[in-house]
Amino acid sequence: MDTNDTICALATPAGVGAIAMIRLSGPESFGIIDQIFEPRSGSPVSLAAGYTLHLGNLTGDEGVIDEVMVSVFRQPHSYTGDDAIEISCHGSPYIQQKIIELLISRGARMATAGEFTMRAFINGKFDLAQAEAVADLIASGSKYAHDLALDQMRGGFSDKIKQLRQELLDFASLVELELDFAEEDVEFADRTKIGKTLDGLETEIETLLKSFQVGNVLKNGIPVAIIGKPNVGKSTLLNTILQEEKAIVSDIPGTTRDSIEDTIIIEGIAFRFIDTAGLRPSMDVIENIGIERTLQRIKEASIILFIFDAASTAEEVQEVLEEHRHLIEDPSKRIILIGNKIDLLIEMPKGFKDLVELETIFISAKRKENINLISDSLLRSVNTQQLADTTIVSNARHYEALSKSLQAIGDIRKGFDSNIPSDLVAIDIRKALHHLGTITGQITTDEILGNIFGKFCIGK
Amino acid sequence: MFETYDIIVVGAGHSGCEAAAAAANMGSKTLLITMNMTNMAQMSCNPAMGGIAKGQIVREIDALGGYSAIVTDHTRIQFRMLNKSKGPAMWSPRAQSDRMLFSMKWREMLEATPNLDFWQDTVVDLMVKDSRVTGVKTAMGQEISAKAVILTNGTFLNGIIHIGKKQFGGGRIGEKASKGLTEHLVKLGFEARRMKTGTPVRVDGRSLNFARLDEQKGDENPQRFSFTDTPNITRQRSCYIAYTNTIVHDTLRTGFLDSPMFTGRIEGIGPRYCPSIEDKIDRFSDKNSHQLFVEPEGWNTNEYYLNGFSSSLPDYVQFAALRKIPGFESAKIFRPGYAIEYDYFPPMQLKFTLETKLIGHLYFAGQINGTTGYEEAGAQGIIAGMNAHLKLNEKPEFILKRSDAYIGVLIDDLITKGVDEPYRMFTSRAEYRILLRQDNADVRLTPMSHAVGLADDERLNRVLRKQETISKLRTFLKKESIAPDDINSYLATIGSAPLSQKVKLENLILRPEISFDEFTKQAPALQNYLATHVNDHHAEVVESAEILIKYDNYIQKEQEIAAKISRLEDIRLHDDFDYHKLKSLSWEAREKLSKIRPGTIGQASRISGVNPSDISVLIVYLGR
């Protein structure tokens, strides 16, 4: 954990808004902003006084990204106590993502959850009494971000990263083998093979980076699954929500429109609804493949709308919930209970609060009653910490890790090309492993040694 | 019969000897108890010190003021600097020693150490009062009081030796095991487990056909282990390399049914990097030949150690297979190989000082902590000896960080991660390999050791003089230029780009293809400077200066990372910190932190299961 580098993050809620704000804090803030910001005044921001505001263009490698306002904070007079910059840009998720990518490519690091606040604390901006709240924020935020980050990496991405990392690990083992076991009669890697491995790694990471630039989640929306017994009104609810919000049914390019999925944007946030209407045991092979896919989709969902008949007793609901215990206990998922068909009830059901600790909303899908409560709850999931930042943040974090690995691999190649001793090249190999490791979990030297012992006959 | 000692060291292996020497040299009244005074600092395994990563440790022990390097220099029969073709971080000194002289030289040096007494006996129990150790009880019924006790029992605690189906108690072949102590320690609340290691057959050199073996000679210009003025060697003995083949492997396989390893009679975990020969042919069955090193045991003996042929198969199987090795057709053996199982105490029960968390002023060092190797043992011994003395004198602890020394890496790994096989040092375990070189161990550690009273003035002055000479030499190389006409013809001969204008000498030495020594011959000004300004330890100074110039970039990069990380390393965590109170820590982190009780934030961050967010939470709680 570094507490002295320069970090950045989106400070406003994720999603489409009129304006978004991105915060940059740390010793390199001015160095970074000078590289990418052309103020109208012509005088670099690094020369500006604290508490001043500057209009200008933010420019990346591919040209101008946005016209923005930049606010300047001089240490210790900022939120964190370090030098800081706040960039106010237009509210498109695409622009937000681009700007964060740009900051990272110029040397900033994606902040972890609560990190700005933690720095403020370390720099003496808060007193100790506030420590606990800050600690909680860090703990819950990063836990959630991590779970979600992993969730978002399905569809082959995480497999790919794991595979790349394994290749790099094997590579590291080969190099370390030569160093630590030079006296053993093991065969060492020839240099042509090393070059080829590096080629392969570079190409794959570059491809990933390109495909990654505008995050998939951002395009596809937050996955929401609707589950429940047959005939409780799942399809009706989906159609109702679609109709209610139909004016803004997704037309974002690149959205995967599966037959069982619909993407809806509510107040700027994309939600991808997964209909599980066809979920029932079947002997039909084709249908079973469909079910298999649907189950997979449910696993990917961040939010689950669990529908039951409002006429059921709390005990009956509890019983059905039991069957889906693995979903409910999964900390990366938010569960909302929906009691449907209140139009058929004489009086509203009671006692759910005591038995079921989950948020429960009673609606009538047919009469479109209380549908807005569902929308509100979905939005709350996003805005109250639970899903905050995740779309852009996790993408940017992966982007950061990948580009840094790529850079380190470039250094490894340079090292081998100029015939630098391999113990020195190993420094860059470790760096590359470290960065990929931030996506898939930590790498330790034990892992390299384990790999060596497993693969080579070592020992006199 | 006995006075009250400041420190009692139990066991006189590599760890116990270094511990006793350090404690006594710092001024503690010290007693060294060993089961057999004629076997002190015995090399139970191969008669060699150093090697990759281990050689660096020996240099570090020496820089701190230990004896291992001095004893090695006096008793070696061969010296090689390994990995010379790699970068400077990998250069690793290794020596074959005369096994018997090694033990005798150690004893001679210890007997010349002030404040140090000896007693031959077996310690069977500790005296403990109010969670603090007060002395030891011995098999001969002595109760000896001490303010601190260092246990370095090696492989002797409940040691069992296996050769085929035969098994018998023993700490080394021909030596009794130590019984009773483990049980008493467990009663005090310590956790004990079993480990296994092995050793190969010793053969009669008179029966070998050396013409069929590859000779491995010592270096032409042997260097020394110690930074002090120990003698260099003028003659050396060679090692030899032999190869197994499929016939050897097939013969060994005939004994598998009687192998204590494969039949499960051995429960302890052995090291993956030092497998027995049967393990090698079992696990890597596609490999048709394994390399063996035939190492002489001394100047005046024909005994050879067959490194790589470690085995616990029945002696007759070992013998039959041995004779199938080319060059060993009529080999006779002095002693068979064997496996040994022994008790160790999982080292997460220790603090950075190697004091136990459970009992005050009680220290564990060496193989009792689940390590392997004379070097690793000696390193722990010296640290335990120093800290036992410092604590008695209410002085601050002596702790080496991972960026200070391999010894720091060793101890941090042990107490933070524990061990699941005998722990041996590898350079890849160190994050700051480029900083932890054998050439700069004195610069890194002697001043630190001197500051707490172990390394003497002479050692310190020597380091300071060396550093000054190096820095002046570097200044000279930065200022002095050389003209194209004077050097281009030489550059052409080694395929280095010619100069078009004058450059500073340093810029040429920076080039990987240019060696300082060769270059010196071409540059009269430099030759002249060296002759007039670098009188003592010429080779050492030149080596260090060349490394510092050539690898400056990398050294600086690692120094920066180490400096960044050290911000966290230095934040102390209190022993009684209640991690369960911190609900914002993950459940796993709370459990692990409560169990291991790390000494610093840095250590906490290396515990598996403690995530970066947990570390942030801790930092916040500690109030920056």
Side-chain angles (χ1 to χ4, degrees):
Chain A
M1 168 109 249
D2 195 337
T3 55
N4 202 28
D5 55 357
T6 301
I7 52 174
C8 66
L10 184 64
T12 42
V16 181
I19 288 175
M21 199 261 275
I22 291 160
R23 193 184 265 159
L24 181 68
S25 170
E28 291 304 315
S29 298
F30 292 110
I32 292 172
I33 199 71
D34 274 355
Q35 293 174 49
I36 55 173
F37 180 64
E38 300 161 20
R40 286 287 150 81
S41 67
S43 161
V45 167
S46 57
L47 300 178
Y51 298 145
T52 55
L53 203 56
H54 307 264
L55 175 69
N57 283 342
L58 213 52
T59 312
D61 298 330
E62 296 144 24
V64 174
I65 295 175
D66 193 13
E67 184 180 55
V68 300
M69 296 293 294
V70 164
S71 322
V72 175
F73 300 86
R74 293 277 176 187
Q75 61 144 331
H77 306 294
S78 71
Y79 177 69
T80 55
D82 295 328
D83 281 341
I85 293 288
E86 286 176 3
I87 303 168
S88 302
C89 60
H90 291 99
S92 132
Y94 178 79
I95 286 175
Q96 297 163 20
Q97 172 108 16
K98 274 289 175 199
I99 293 177
I100 288 181
E101 279 174 15
L102 184 61
L103 292 173
I104 289 168
S105 73
R106 296 299 189 269
R109 173 170 66 76
M110 195 70 213
T112 56
E115 198 172 2
F116 284 97
T117 312
M118 190 181 109
R119 288 203 176 180
F121 182 77
I122 289 176
N123 287 329
K125 288 271 167 175
F126 294 136
D127 60 36
L128 251 165
Q130 286 161 293
E132 190 155 353
V134 177
D136 278 340
L137 181 68
I138 293 168
S140 62
S142 59
K143 166 94 187 94
Y144 192 77
H146 182 69
D147 289 341
L148 204 89
L150 286 176
D151 264 13
Q152 288 177 350
M153 286 197 315
R154 292 176 216 248
F157 178 69
S158 72
D159 289 345
K160 194 106 217 163
I161 298 281
K162 272 187 203 144
Q163 186 200 325
L164 284 177
R165 187 168 169 281
Q166 186 57 46
E167 273 172 44
L168 202 56
L169 196 67
D170 289 347
F171 180 69
S173 305
L174 275 178
V175 174
E176 294 289 342
L177 180 75
E178 256 183 68
L179 297 173
D180 264 332
F181 304 96
E183 291 291 294
E184 315 266 344
D185 64 335
V186 283
E187 276 174 42
F188 300 122
D190 67 79
R191 290 296 182 260
T192 7
K193 207 181 148 200
I194 284 182
K196 273 196 190 137
T197 312
L198 289 176
D199 283 345
L201 283 168
E202 257 174 351
T203 321
E204 294 209 44
I205 295 180
E206 271 166 8
T207 318
L208 272 178
L209 271 175
K210 273 186 203 138
S211 73
F212 210 64
Q213 294 212 340
V214 179
N216 287 323
V217 171
L218 206 62
K219 280 184 187 169
N220 294 346
I222 294 162
V224 183
I226 305 177
I227 63 172
K229 283 183 166 176
N231 291 327
V232 290
K234 294 191 291 291
S235 299
T236 320
L237 174 63
L238 183 62
N239 286 333
T240 308
I241 297 176
L242 286 173
Q243 277 164 24
E244 288 281 291
E245 310 280 350
K246 71 179 168 224
I248 42 171
V249 165
S250 166
D251 59 357
I252 298 180
T255 305
T256 332
R257 301 259 327 194
D258 208 300
S259 57
I260 54 160
E261 291 184 9
D262 277 296
T263 303
I264 299 166
I265 295 185
I266 306 172
E267 290 188 21
I269 309 282
F271 292 92
R272 190 172 86 243
F273 279 83
I274 304 156
D275 184 7
T276 62
L279 202 56
R280 59 193 156 90
S282 164
M283 299 297 286
D284 186 291
V285 178
I286 308 276
E287 199 173 336
N288 269 335
I289 292 173
I291 291 171
E292 199 64 30
R293 278 179 61 188
T294 308
L295 287 174
Q296 189 55 38
R297 295 286 170 174
I298 294 176
K299 268 195 204 158
E300 287 171 27
S302 299
I303 301 173
I304 291 177
L305 301 182
F306 187 99
I307 308 203
F308 61 94
D309 191 323
S312 327
T313 65
E315 286 76 10
E316 281 165 352
V317 172
Q318 189 67 19
E319 207 171 289
V320 185
L321 282 174
E322 271 311 312
E323 290 170 22
H324 296 279
R325 183 138 291 278
H326 61 286
L327 290 179
I328 292 158
E329 285 175 354
D330 183 343
S332 67
K333 299 198 189 315
R334 179 177 149 87
I335 314 279
I336 305 168
L337 295 186
I338 312 275
N340 191 20
K341 305 187 187 174
I342 50 170
D343 46 307
L344 302 178
L345 293 185
I346 297 157
E347 63 175 7
M348 290 292 283
K350 284 180 190 130
F352 276 95
K353 273 256 160 0
D354 303 328
L355 192 70
V356 184
E357 281 177 2
L358 299 163
E359 178 182 356
T360 311
I361 300 170
F362 288 97
I363 60 154
S364 164
K366 200 166 149 196
R367 291 196 195 159
K368 304 186 174 72
E369 277 175 51
N370 292 350
I371 301 299
N372 60 324
L373 294 181
I374 299 180
S375 308
D376 288 350
S377 179
L378 290 176
L379 281 174
R380 253 201 322 278
S381 308
V382 179
N383 291 331
T384 60
Q385 187 54 31
Q386 285 231 30
L387 288 177
D389 307 343
T390 50
T391 48
I392 290 182
V393 171
S394 60
N395 281 325
R397 216 186 292 287
H398 297 158
Y399 177 83
E400 176 188 11
L402 282 173
S403 23
K404 287 197 171 153
S405 322
L406 189 65
Q407 204 180 340
I409 288 172
D411 289 344
I412 299 170
R413 175 187 297 285
K414 259 184 251 156
F416 278 118
D417 286 351
S418 50
N419 255 327
I420 284 170
S422 42
D423 45 325
L424 303 176
V425 180
I427 299 178
D428 292 314
I429 300 180
R430 289 178 181 198
K431 218 191 254 169
L433 268 174
H434 167 80
H435 291 303
L436 282 187
T438 54
I439 303 181
T440 56
Q442 276 297 1
I443 158 80
T444 67
T445 54
D446 301 344
E447 226 178 327
I448 296 178
L449 282 172
N451 212 21
I452 289 178
F453 298 145
K455 289 208 167 115
F456 303 97
C457 181
I458 298 297
K460 293 178 182 172
Chain B
M1 209 160 102
F2 295 98
E3 57 188 304
T4 294
Y5 283 96
D6 292 322
I7 296 170
I8 290 177
V9 179
V10 181
H14 305 268
S15 186
C17 287
E18 288 289 4
N25 276 323
M26 288 174 87
S28 280
K29 283 278 332 150
T30 306
L31 175 69
L32 179 59
I33 304 181
T34 167
M35 291 164 74
N36 187 346
M37 284 212 44
T38 51
N39 269 345
M40 289 165 62
Q42 185 59 237
M43 296 175 128
S44 321
C45 214
N46 67 331
M49 283 293 267
I52 300 168
K54 289 161 166 281
Q56 282 88 327
I57 294 183
V58 178
R59 297 279 273 172
E60 289 177 357
I61 294 174
D62 187 69
L64 292 172
Y67 289 176
S68 291
I70 300 173
V71 171
T72 307
D73 282 344
H74 276 279
T75 60
R76 67 212 161 125
I77 59 179
Q78 189 200 67
F79 180 91
R80 288 199 302 140
M81 185 64 85
L82 306 182
N83 261 342
K84 205 56 194 191
S85 64
K86 311 276 189 332
M90 299 310 300
W91 302 352
S92 309
R94 181 185 190 277
Q96 296 290 141
S97 264
D98 182 307
R99 184 193 301 279
M100 283 177 279
L101 285 183
F102 188 91
S103 172
M104 281 160 62
K105 182 69 191 175
W106 250 113
R107 179 156 165 186
E108 178 194 322
M109 288 196 68
L110 288 177
E111 286 184 20
T113 303
N115 302 320
L116 184 55
D117 293 346
F118 303 88
W119 178 248
Q120 177 168 305
D121 204 340
T122 305
V123 168
V124 291
D125 197 3
L126 295 178
M127 300 191 283
V128 173
K129 201 179 165 195
D130 302 329
S131 292
R132 178 180 172 161
V133 72
T134 59
V136 300
K137 294 179 191 169
T138 75
M140 289 202 275
Q142 304 288 346
E143 295 198 352
I144 314 172
S145 304
K147 296 175 198 155
V149 172
I150 302 172
L151 293 183
T152 69
N153 302 67
T155 59
F156 279 73
L157 295 177
N158 293 324
I160 294 179
I161 291 174
H162 298 262
I163 305 173
K165 282 179 171 169
K166 286 176 233 171
Q167 65 177 67
F168 42 89
R172 260 192 301 260
I173 197 120
E175 291 177 54
K176 276 196 305 184
S178 164
K179 293 207 165 147
L181 189 56
T182 302
E183 291 69 18
H184 284 294
L185 288 169
V186 168
K187 229 176 263 171
L188 286 171
F190 287 104
E191 182 194 353
R193 287 192 210 155
R194 297 288 272 175
M195 253 180 195
K196 170 250 158 182
T197 186
T199 185
V201 54
R202 317 294 154 98
V203 296
D204 185 343
R206 294 171 302 178
S207 65
L208 301 184
N209 181 0
F210 288 101
R212 299 201 67 182
L213 309 178
D214 298 342
E215 185 175 4
Q216 190 177 46
K217 288 187 168 163
D219 283 356
E220 271 176 39
N221 299 308
Q223 288 170 256
R224 291 168 306 120
F225 264 102
S226 178
F227 290 101
T228 64
D229 292 313
T230 49
N232 214 332
I233 32 172
T234 49
R235 58 184 181 127
Q236 301 189 57
R237 287 198 68 176
S238 292
C239 292
Y240 296 85
I241 299 173
Y243 297 92
T244 64
N245 52 40
T246 48
I247 307 171
V248 178
H249 298 179
D250 289 341
T251 313
L252 287 166
R253 281 200 187 90
T254 63
F256 276 17
L257 282 176
D258 293 325
S259 155
M261 289 269 301
F262 297 135
T263 52
R265 277 197 301 282
I266 293 181
E267 289 160 15
I269 310 151
R272 285 173 297 176
Y273 47 80
C274 191
S276 59
I277 186 73
E278 53 265 33
D279 220 13
K280 283 192 248 185
I281 60 176
D282 184 50
R283 281 179 51 209
F284 297 92
S285 54
D286 54 332
K287 215 169 175 243
N288 292 329
S289 175
H290 294 277
Q291 205 176 37
L292 305 174
F293 291 82
V294 188
E295 304 180 2
E297 294 253 341
W299 292 118
N300 307 313
T301 174
N302 278 304
E303 188 167 352
Y304 279 83
Y305 180 94
L306 190 54
N307 200 348
F309 208 65
S310 164
S311 179
S312 56
L313 291 174
D315 37 19
Y316 56 88
V317 177
Q318 293 184 31
F319 181 70
L322 182 75
R323 286 204 157 188
K324 302 287 193 301
I325 302 170
F328 286 70
E329 292 81 0
S330 43
K332 293 181 179 176
I333 65 176
F334 284 170
R335 345 177 183 202
Y338 61 87
I340 178 162
E341 274 190 291
Y342 53 95
D343 294 334
Y344 79 100
F345 292 84
M348 292 197 288
Q349 305 174 86
L350 305 175
K351 304 179 186 176
F352 273 113
T353 57
L354 298 180
E355 186 182 16
T356 67
K357 291 171 186 167
L358 203 56
I359 305 288
H361 295 272
L362 175 64
Y363 298 78
F364 290 172
Q367 231 161 340
I368 189 174
N369 290 335
T371 60
T372 160
Y374 317 138
E375 303 82 357
E376 288 84 348
Q380 293 169 66
I382 196 167
I383 295 295
M386 291 172 84
N387 278 297
H389 170 88
L390 290 170
K391 186 163 183 183
L392 288 180
N393 292 278
E394 291 173 4
K395 299 258 179 63
E397 303 164 334
F398 185 77
I399 295 171
L400 297 176
K401 283 189 230 161
R402 298 181 76 91
S403 52
D404 289 331
Y406 274 99
I407 300 178
V409 175
L410 167 73
I411 293 177
D412 184 61
D413 275 352
L414 290 178
I415 68 169
T416 308
K417 299 182 192 158
V419 290
D420 44 24
E421 67 182 324
Y423 181 101
R424 172 184 144 182
M425 186 50 71
F426 296 104
T427 67
S428 53
R429 296 198 196 268
E431 296 85 341
Y432 313 109
R433 191 150 56 185
I434 311 297
L435 304 183
L436 309 184
R437 304 185 309 273
Q438 58 87 27
D439 69 283
N440 70 354
D442 55 343
V443 175
R444 287 185 276 127
L445 301 177
T446 301
M448 292 173 78
S449 174
H450 183 268
V452 300
L454 180 56
D456 58 20
D457 294 346
E458 202 186 318
R459 270 187 188 274
L460 180 69
N461 291 333
R462 211 182 159 282
V463 178
L464 297 179
R465 272 203 313 275
K466 175 176 145 186
Q467 276 183 291
E468 200 193 333
T469 315
I470 294 172
S471 100
K472 281 187 180 156
L473 173 58
R474 289 190 69 182
T475 315
F476 171 78
L477 295 168
K478 269 196 177 75
K479 279 201 301 218
E480 185 73 19
S481 305
I482 194 161
D485 286 351
D486 296 330
I487 196 70
N488 275 351
S489 60
Y490 170 70
L491 293 179
T493 60
I494 56 165
S496 194
L499 301 182
S500 55
Q501 54 180 25
K502 276 183 143 193
V503 301
K504 306 289 182 210
L505 296 183
E506 190 189 63
N507 291 335
L508 283 175
I509 292 168
L510 254 172
R511 298 187 178 181
E513 66 275 13
I514 292 183
S515 112
F516 194 110
D517 281 336
E518 290 303 313
F519 176 71
T520 306
K521 292 177 195 157
Q522 311 298 325
L526 176 55
Q527 236 172 64
N528 194 27
Y529 178 89
L530 291 175
T532 50
H533 293 84
V534 185
N535 306 315
D536 313 344
H537 311 292
H538 175 104
E540 228 179 285
V541 167
V542 167
E543 179 185 270
S544 292
E546 184 173 11
I547 291 171
L548 291 174
I549 292 169
K550 276 206 164 74
Y551 306 104
D552 190 38
N553 259 341
Y554 290 93
I555 293 170
Q556 278 190 18
K557 227 196 261 184
E558 289 216 332
Q559 270 167 344
E560 275 164 28
I561 301 172
K564 248 186 200 176
I565 305 272
S566 81
R567 281 168 53 125
L568 297 184
E569 288 300 328
D570 294 338
I571 305 178
R572 303 295 303 245
L573 289 166
H574 284 289
D575 275 357
D576 51 2
F577 199 91
D578 184 1
Y579 295 100
H580 283 289
K581 208 179 58 191
L582 302 191
K583 300 291 178 218
S584 6
L585 289 175
S586 72
W587 181 83
E588 190 183 1
R590 270 181 268 164
E591 289 294 306
K592 290 264 174 73
L593 290 166
S594 306
K595 184 168 177 235
I596 297 170
R597 308 219 141 269
T600 62
I601 288 276
Q603 192 195 350
S605 70
R606 288 184 290 273
I607 297 172
S608 75
V610 176
N611 298 317
S613 66
D614 297 316
I615 295 302
S616 308
V617 168
L618 283 179
I619 295 173
V620 165
Y621 264 97
L622 291 168
R624 68 206 77 124

